[in-house]
Amino acid sequence: MQVTAAAPDRPAVFREPGALLYAGNCQDLLDASLAGKVTLSAWTRRGYPGQPLGDALPQVCSVGGWDAAAPQDWGLKLHCNEGVKIAYLARGSLALTLDGQRHEIQEGQMFVVRPWQLHAFGDPNVVASQIVWVLFDMGTRRPHDPWLWPDWLAWPERDQQRLTEFLSRNEQPFYQASREVTRDFEQIADVVATGDIESGEIRLRLTISMMLMHFMEQIEAQAPVLDQALAHSKRTVQIFLNRLAHALDEGWTLENMAAECNLSRTQFTQHCLALTNITPVRYLQMMRLDAARRMLVEQRNVAVTAVAYECGFSSSQYFATCFKRRFGISPVDARRQVLVAAE
C-alpha cells in the first residue's frame, strides 16, 4: 500500500482563512506507519494518510483502519475531523477522549465522532488494537449545519433524515456492535486490504450502505432520546466561544466571528448575549484582557508589548488603556507588583 509522505494542513473546521480550529491530519499515525510500528490500510483523500481514492467513493475522506500488534509509543492528539467518523474496534482497547471526557472503548464496540468534537486517541499512547473506520464528509462542520449523505448510498430521503437525527441530536459516544455491523466492518477491512480501488469500490459502496442500515437499526432499537438543542445554532456559538481563548490573536470582528459560525451578525449577537450576558465584542475584549493579565504574571520574561500583540491588541497603548480601565492599574504596574511580591 502506498502512503503519502507528508500530510498538508487541513481545511478549517469552521471556515477558512482565519479559522478557529483546523482538522487534524493524523500525522502521528502516518509517522508510525512509515516507521513500521503499525499497519495502516486505508483509502483516503484530502491529505489523510493512505492510498489516494481519486474519484472513487465521493464524500468519503478515509476508509480502512490500523492494526497495532503491540503497544505503541504514539497517540493521536486532540483534533477534529472533516466529517463524521463511524468506527469499530475489532481487537484490543482504545482510550478515546471526546470533548474532555475519557472513554475506554472495548473490543466489539463502535463509536461515532462528529466534525465539531475535539477528540484524541491514546492515554497518551495507543495500546495493541485494531480499528476500522469510515469518515464521511457530510458538508457539515457545525452542529446546526445540514447533513448531506453521499448519493451512492441510494437511501430514501426519510431514512437519510432519520439517521441524521440519530447522529446529530444524540451524541452517545459508543455502542455495542451487532453481529451484522461486525461482519460489515470486517468486510470493509478486507476490501481495503486488497489495495484494488477500481475493483473494490462497488463492494465498498454496498458494504458501507449495509453497515449504516444495520447501525441505524441498532440505534433505533435503543429508542434514544433526541435532544434538539444539540443541533441548534446556539450550540455552535457556545463551541466557538469555548475555543476562542485559543485564537485571541486573530483579527476578530463581529462580522467574521458571525461568519465563523455561519450565522448573521444579529443571530450571532443574540446567542452570545443569551450565553454570556454581554455583546460579542465586549466578551472578546474581556477574554483578551484576562489572558493578558495571566501572561504578565506567569510569563515575566515576555515584554508587555509582546503580551499585547499575543492577546490580539493592535497597539501597546490601546492595550494599556483597556487594561487600566478594566483592572485599575497599568500592565507595567501589574507586573511590577508581582515582582515585588516575589522578592
Side-chain angles (χ1 to χ4, degrees):
M1 186 201 72
Q2 296 178 344
V3 294
T4 54
D9 288 341
R10 305 303 307 127
V13 171
F14 287 101
R15 73 173 181 85
E16 193 176 16
L20 177 61
L21 188 66
Y22 285 79
N25 54 25
C26 303
Q27 185 65 45
D28 291 317
L29 172 58
L30 173 61
D31 292 342
S33 173
L34 294 173
K37 300 175 183 178
V38 62
T39 300
L40 173 64
S41 181
W43 296 351
T44 67
R45 53 171 47 92
R46 301 184 191 171
Y48 286 98
Q51 184 175 345
L53 270 166
D55 296 329
L57 294 173
Q59 290 184 242
V60 170
C61 293
S62 179
V63 56
W66 81 53
D67 189 346
Q72 302 292 298
D73 60 358
W74 59 273
L76 291 181
K77 304 176 184 66
L78 282 174
H79 65 287
C80 283
N81 294 324
E82 278 189 82
V84 178
K85 173 179 276 187
I86 301 178
Y88 169 72
L89 189 64
R91 190 185 71 254
S93 62
L94 184 67
L96 167 65
T97 301
L98 188 66
D99 287 337
Q101 294 189 0
R102 185 185 182 282
H103 306 278
E104 188 74 25
I105 310 299
Q106 301 296 331
E107 182 175 316
Q109 292 181 329
M110 57 187 303
F111 59 93
V112 181
V113 181
R114 295 143 190 91
W116 52 87
Q117 292 184 301
L118 274 171
H119 61 287
F121 295 127
D123 192 24
N125 298 330
V126 171
V127 300
S129 57
Q130 181 184 6
I131 179 176
V132 186
W133 64 75
V134 184
L135 177 60
F136 299 93
D137 184 356
M138 318 297 282
T140 179
R141 298 292 182 270
R142 313 162 186 84
H144 75 287
D145 284 344
W147 290 39
L148 180 64
W149 291 92
D151 290 339
W152 50 264
L153 288 179
W155 279 30
E157 182 66 25
R158 65 178 182 277
D159 291 326
Q160 292 185 27
Q161 291 179 352
R162 188 62 173 157
L163 182 55
T164 297
E165 287 181 353
F166 284 142
L167 295 179
S168 64
R169 293 166 173 78
N170 162 46
E171 292 191 353
Q172 179 178 332
F174 60 90
Y175 305 83
Q176 188 66 36
S178 64
R179 284 180 295 179
E180 292 81 7
V181 171
T182 296
R183 184 173 61 250
D184 294 334
F185 271 107
E186 289 173 347
Q187 292 177 359
I188 289 172
D190 289 343
V191 173
V192 174
T194 68
D196 188 348
I197 295 176
E198 184 176 355
S199 299
E201 180 183 8
I202 185 62
R203 290 184 60 195
L204 270 192
R205 289 188 178 203
L206 294 172
T207 306
I208 291 172
S209 297
M210 291 297 293
M211 179 273 290
L212 290 174
M213 183 188 74
H214 291 142
F215 180 39
M216 184 169 70
E217 291 173 347
Q218 189 175 355
I219 298 177
E220 194 162 25
Q222 300 178 21
V225 176
L226 303 181
D227 185 354
Q228 300 296 325
L230 291 175
H232 196 276
S233 56
K234 184 177 181 179
R235 184 164 182 244
T236 296
V237 175
Q238 182 67 76
I239 292 172
F240 173 83
L241 295 177
N242 290 346
R243 298 179 185 173
L244 189 56
H246 302 290
L248 293 176
D249 58 340
E250 293 284 349
W252 295 115
T253 64
L254 177 58
E255 288 75 13
N256 62 25
M257 284 192 288
E260 244 351 273
C261 296
N262 196 24
L263 295 170
S264 70
R265 293 184 302 171
T266 299
Q267 288 175 304
F268 178 75
T269 299
Q270 289 174 342
H271 287 321
C272 188
L273 284 168
L275 291 165
T276 69
N277 205 34
I278 54 178
T279 66
V281 173
R282 178 60 178 158
Y283 180 82
L284 173 63
Q285 186 180 86
M286 289 181 64
M287 290 196 70
R288 284 173 165 167
L289 288 170
D290 289 341
R293 191 180 194 183
R294 288 192 298 272
M295 283 188 67
L296 289 169
V297 172
E298 298 170 3
Q299 302 181 34
R300 302 173 196 171
N301 59 327
V302 179
V304 173
T305 298
V307 170
Y309 292 137
E310 179 92 8
C311 294
F313 290 93
S314 57
S315 73
S316 57
Q317 184 176 0
Y318 178 62
F319 167 58
T321 299
C322 295
F323 192 95
K324 188 168 185 178
R325 185 184 302 127
R326 172 81 188 279
F327 300 115
I329 190 173
S330 72
V332 173
D333 289 339
R335 172 168 282 175
R336 185 179 294 119
Q337 284 184 352
V338 175
L339 293 174
V340 170
E343 293 176 353

